[in-house]
Amino acid sequence: MDTDQDSARVKFPPPLVFLGTLLAGLALGRLLGNLRVPILTYDLQNLLGWLGIVLGAGTLLSANGLFRQRGTHARPWKSSTSLVTEGVYRWTRNPMYLGMALIYAGIALVVDSLVALLLLIPLVFVIEREVIAREEAYLEAKFGERYRSYKDSVRRWI
């Protein structure tokens, strides 16, 4: 991973952390005897899972498309050349991470893995602390008042 000097200096690729945690949760769940999500009926759980996957993918792809249109990097270890505040960024400051979290939760629900679903909670805290906090500090330093105003008017997640 080639980190730019002018970047949030995130130390790991967030998509791989989501994927790695999901795979670890699925494996651990299997080792523990396939603990199932106890709250929902199968049909509702499956519906919510697929809804999460579709909404998450749509959110993630939309956000990534906006970055491409603006000619700036979506990778948080690369320099940002533009502050994106339109599209899905009007209702969440972190649509890519929200999308990844929805896809993760959706997959955990569809495959009925309670362990994987529960591991999403600490994963989100790690992403907030190690990725989002770094990105926000970087964007505030780079874009100043424009970013602070955006940050004050749009929620971090939803």
Side-chain angles (χ1 to χ4, degrees):
M1 198 166 79
D2 184 27
T3 304
D4 289 351
Q5 288 295 325
D6 176 32
S7 72
R9 296 184 180 219
V10 171
K11 298 179 188 312
F12 53 83
L16 292 182
V17 175
F18 274 94
L19 179 60
T21 304
L22 177 63
L23 293 176
L26 295 174
L28 184 58
R30 193 167 178 87
L31 283 172
L32 295 174
N34 287 331
L35 301 173
R36 303 186 64 183
V37 178
I39 303 166
L40 306 170
T41 66
Y42 172 78
D43 289 338
L44 180 58
Q45 183 173 317
N46 205 32
L47 173 69
L48 290 174
W50 282 107
L51 186 62
I53 293 168
V54 170
L55 287 175
T59 302
L60 180 61
L61 291 171
S62 175
N64 200 37
L66 289 167
F67 268 57
R68 286 182 191 206
Q69 285 175 355
R70 284 295 205 53
T72 193
H73 288 285
R75 292 170 282 175
W77 57 89
K78 292 293 185 185
S79 179
S80 292
T81 57
S82 180
L83 182 61
V84 180
T85 60
E86 64 271 354
V88 291
Y89 286 91
R90 288 179 293 168
W91 52 272
T92 175
R93 293 195 317 261
N94 296 289
M96 291 186 204
Y97 304 127
L98 175 61
M100 286 184 246
L102 286 170
I103 292 167
Y104 179 115
I107 292 170
L109 286 170
V110 168
V111 301
D112 199 14
S113 176
L114 179 62
V115 173
L117 192 59
L118 291 175
L119 283 180
L120 180 58
I121 297 166
L123 173 58
V124 166
F125 285 112
V126 168
I127 292 296
E128 278 201 16
R129 184 171 177 261
E130 297 298 322
V131 179
I132 294 172
R134 290 174 187 263
E135 288 181 340
E136 288 184 342
Y138 167 70
L139 293 171
E140 190 166 335
K142 181 148 186 153
F143 298 105
E145 185 54 40
R146 189 166 162 232
Y147 180 72
R148 282 189 291 278
S149 175
Y150 169 69
K151 188 174 157 182
D152 289 342
S153 64
V154 176
R155 291 176 167 264
R156 177 178 278 165
W157 289 98
I158 49 173

